[in-house]
Amino acid sequence: MAIQIASDMIDNAHKASSFGSLGAGLQPAGRVDQDAIKLGKLNSIMSILGQVKGRVSEDGIERLARKIGMECLWDTGFGANPPKTLIIAGTGMSVDIEFLNGVVQSVAVSFPDAAEAVQSHAQAMGDILHENLKDDGPAGRGMISFNRNLQRLATLDNLSVGNHYNCFEAIEGIYKSLTRLNKYEIVE
């Protein structure tokens, strides 16, 4: 008799757990669906917030740089209304962004340990980043473009291994080779 009661209790527990997985357990069936809907909405909001980079500002640029793993330092000039410079540094490159009254005045990219051929492209890189930060149209497009370009530079900087391998120099070598190949094909 005791064995039969124990067997019935196990069967009932098994049935209750299988009904619970169908939404017929302790919670009302509609409650599970509402939780799933709320979780889906929350996940979609979080993904949207993760994509929005914000407006161009001193704090926003610093936040983006720190988010991708770059070091940030502030330097303040002298005078009555001194400019502030945000120095975004990696292992083999730095980006200096000068602000005056919260507005980006200039962007300079430098590669202290890179070859001269890489240094020759630093001015163009700074100009592109400066254009990104000037074009802060609807929905912060400037910050999105700036973030993409800064992430590309940071990725190349992180992949460069000390003095043994410099990705910026490797890309410069590929650029020179493709330029020579293009000139050769045009002549032919």
Side-chain angles (χ1 to χ4, degrees):
M1 182 74 160
I3 294 175
Q4 180 65 29
I5 295 173
S7 176
D8 289 341
M9 289 175 63
I10 291 172
D11 286 341
N12 289 339
H14 179 70
K15 288 178 186 175
S17 68
S18 65
F19 283 157
S21 65
L22 296 174
L26 296 175
Q27 291 182 337
R31 179 72 179 155
V32 175
D33 294 337
Q34 289 175 357
D35 288 345
I37 291 170
K38 285 181 182 178
L39 184 62
K41 287 180 181 179
L42 182 63
N43 286 336
S44 67
I45 290 170
M46 292 301 288
S47 68
I48 290 170
L49 289 176
Q51 294 173 358
V52 175
K53 303 303 177 199
R55 308 286 291 174
V56 172
S57 68
E58 295 171 359
D59 293 335
I61 293 171
E62 181 179 5
R63 200 172 21 258
L64 280 178
R66 290 190 190 281
K67 184 177 180 181
I68 62 175
M70 306 291 282
E71 295 292 322
C72 296
L73 304 166
W74 283 99
D75 184 29
T76 305
F78 298 102
N81 190 11
K84 291 172 63 176
T85 303
L86 174 62
I87 303 166
I88 302 172
T91 55
M93 60 156 276
S94 70
V95 178
D96 300 348
I97 305 172
E98 185 175 302
F99 294 91
L100 185 62
N101 298 325
V103 178
V104 176
Q105 298 299 311
S106 65
V107 179
V109 178
S110 63
F111 304 93
D113 299 329
E116 183 61 36
V118 175
Q119 292 288 351
S120 66
H121 296 286
Q123 178 65 40
M125 289 180 198
D127 292 343
I128 290 169
L129 291 174
H130 189 228
E131 283 300 314
N132 291 157
L133 294 173
K134 285 191 332 189
D135 178 34
D136 191 33
R141 283 182 310 188
M143 285 293 275
I144 293 170
S145 300
F146 176 78
N147 182 50
R148 263 192 242 127
N149 288 326
L150 187 63
Q151 268 188 318
R152 288 182 184 124
L153 290 174
T155 300
L156 292 174
D157 185 58
N158 289 335
L159 290 173
S160 299
V161 182
N163 294 332
H164 304 294
Y165 184 74
N166 188 327
C167 287
F168 297 107
E169 291 176 1
I171 289 175
E172 171 59 27
I174 292 169
Y175 173 75
K176 280 185 178 179
S177 297
L178 290 174
T179 303
R180 275 189 262 142
L181 182 63
N182 186 32
K183 287 180 183 178
Y184 176 76
E185 287 181 356
I186 289 175
V187 171
E188 293 285 319

